Amino acid sequence: MTTDTATTAYAARPIPPTALAGLRATDDAGRPCAPYTATDGGHPLRCCLRLSVPGERIALVSYAPLRRWAAETGAEPGAYDEQGPVFVHAEDCGGPAPSETYPFSRTGALRTLRRYDAAGRIVGGRLLELPEPPAAGFDQALAEAFADPAVALVHVRAVEYGCFHFEVRRP
């Protein structure tokens, strides 16, 4: 399995800083944040779009990405408002470093790309097994999604756990 080093056609968005500030106090399920020191690495951090390393202070929190987007845009996602677990740094990390690759992409990984319209309703999705190079697979799947003029944003999730990985908005 390889990781990707190709330039991407779309921008992966982390959890926004304002949302992170709230999640580091109380998550979207109403639970207080419970930071801990990671003893092993490899947790996908949605604040900076990289994997954790041993010794970092991180937290597993419940996050509702569509709810947060809807609050920003005035959309009403209704039943499509879901929440799930994500790892974040326990303190502000400054966000992602500039990158021209998609985060958490390795050849053979399974991802689902859920498409949403401007009202926050799901308008389709796609299962993607990341090819070699992974960026090409993401680029093709995202181009397909945004070829539909109704698609306003795409959420990329891991198939194995259903976890939200990152968001891509219409360019």
Side-chain angles (χ1 to χ4, degrees):
M1 291 186 203
T2 61
T3 55
D4 207 351
T5 58
T7 301
T8 63
Y10 299 89
R13 298 170 61 103
I15 296 175
T18 53
L20 286 166
L23 293 170
R24 289 180 177 126
T26 305
D27 72 12
D28 286 344
R31 293 182 200 91
C33 184
Y36 65 96
T37 301
T39 56
D40 55 355
H43 302 298
L45 298 166
R46 281 41 166 246
C47 48
C48 56
L49 301 179
R50 68 166 177 80
L51 299 176
S52 68
V53 297
E56 287 187 295
R57 295 280 296 157
I58 63 174
L60 181 61
V61 298
S62 185
Y63 178 56
L66 197 59
R67 180 185 314 163
R68 298 287 184 148
W69 174 82
E72 177 186 318
T73 64
E76 294 286 339
Y80 296 107
D81 174 29
E82 60 183 314
Q83 62 190 26
V86 295
F87 289 98
V88 298
H89 276 113
E91 293 85 28
D92 183 9
C93 63
S99 177
E100 295 184 344
T101 64
Y102 293 106
F104 321 123
S105 62
R106 60 179 165 68
T107 301
L110 296 175
R111 300 292 180 255
T112 183
L113 285 76
R114 294 186 188 166
R115 305 168 186 178
Y116 297 93
D117 66 14
R121 302 299 197 286
I122 198 164
V123 290
R126 178 168 191 243
L127 177 64
L128 174 65
E129 180 175 353
L130 296 178
E132 176 62 41
F138 272 124
D139 285 346
Q140 180 181 354
L142 290 164
E144 285 175 17
F146 292 119
D148 179 348
V151 174
L153 75 155
V154 175
H155 285 173
V156 176
R157 293 177 176 267
V159 170
E160 299 89 342
Y161 299 103
C163 300
F164 171 84
H165 272 210
F166 59 90
E167 174 182 288
V168 177
R169 294 188 182 181
R170 177 171 287 285

